Amino acid sequence: MKTSYFAMMRNFPDTVEPIAICAKVPNWYNGKVYKKLAPSYQLLMDYKKTGDEKTYTEKYNNYLKTLNVQDVIKDFEQLSNGKEIILLCYEKSSDFCHRHLVANWLNENGYSCEEWEKGE
């Protein structure tokens, strides 16, 4: 499993299944969406107002703790069509983004997840 951002989709091979994990997707995106991992509107608005990554991280990680990682993986398996999954959001790889927190959560729970690199 990998993570990436929408602008990189044009570089994805046909062997992957992109799944958006954000609350709102670009108008042109017609792929799969998994909203359980999207941050809440309130969390996003608070972050936009303050820019406080520490508080955002703490609150989002607390939210992730309420989810059953095995259930999330089962959901991904149903959405994947047997392909490798790339979880999508908007921010570039080097930018702060909840998808990196999701990747950490998955890794901490025994499911490998890293940022997709062009050419993979």
Side-chain angles (χ1 to χ4, degrees):
M1 190 174 337
K2 308 278 186 187
T3 63
S4 192
Y5 54 106
F6 289 110
M8 291 299 286
M9 281 186 64
R10 66 182 171 273
N11 300 307
F12 293 172
D14 293 338
T15 57
V16 302
E17 185 69 56
I19 301 174
I21 58 169
C22 47
K24 185 174 181 337
V25 297
N27 291 336
W28 54 264
Y29 180 77
N30 60 0
K32 295 178 179 172
V33 179
Y34 189 74
K35 292 205 178 208
K36 275 188 190 174
L37 293 178
S40 71
Y41 178 79
Q42 188 62 53
L43 183 57
L44 286 172
M45 292 302 101
D46 289 348
Y47 174 68
K48 286 183 179 189
K49 212 183 300 181
T50 66
D52 184 350
E53 292 177 10
K54 182 180 178 193
T55 299
Y56 180 98
T57 298
E58 188 176 294
K59 288 181 177 182
Y60 188 73
N61 281 338
N62 284 338
Y63 169 70
L64 290 175
K65 289 177 187 175
T66 69
L67 300 177
N68 181 313
V69 71
Q70 289 84 13
D71 290 343
V72 171
I73 295 299
K74 285 178 191 172
D75 292 343
F76 287 162
E77 288 170 354
Q78 290 178 349
L79 292 169
S80 72
N81 295 322
K83 297 180 177 182
E84 181 178 23
I85 293 169
I86 298 182
L87 303 175
L88 294 174
C89 199
Y90 288 92
E91 285 72 26
K92 293 180 181 176
S93 301
S94 59
D95 293 345
F96 178 75
C97 180
H98 81 288
R99 78 172 183 275
H100 303 304
L101 302 176
V102 169
N104 289 340
W105 176 70
L106 290 167
N107 285 316
E108 288 171 359
N109 284 282
Y111 298 94
S112 178
C113 187
E114 58 192 41
E115 189 73 9
W116 181 82
E117 298 293 331
K118 190 173 175 180
E120 287 189 66

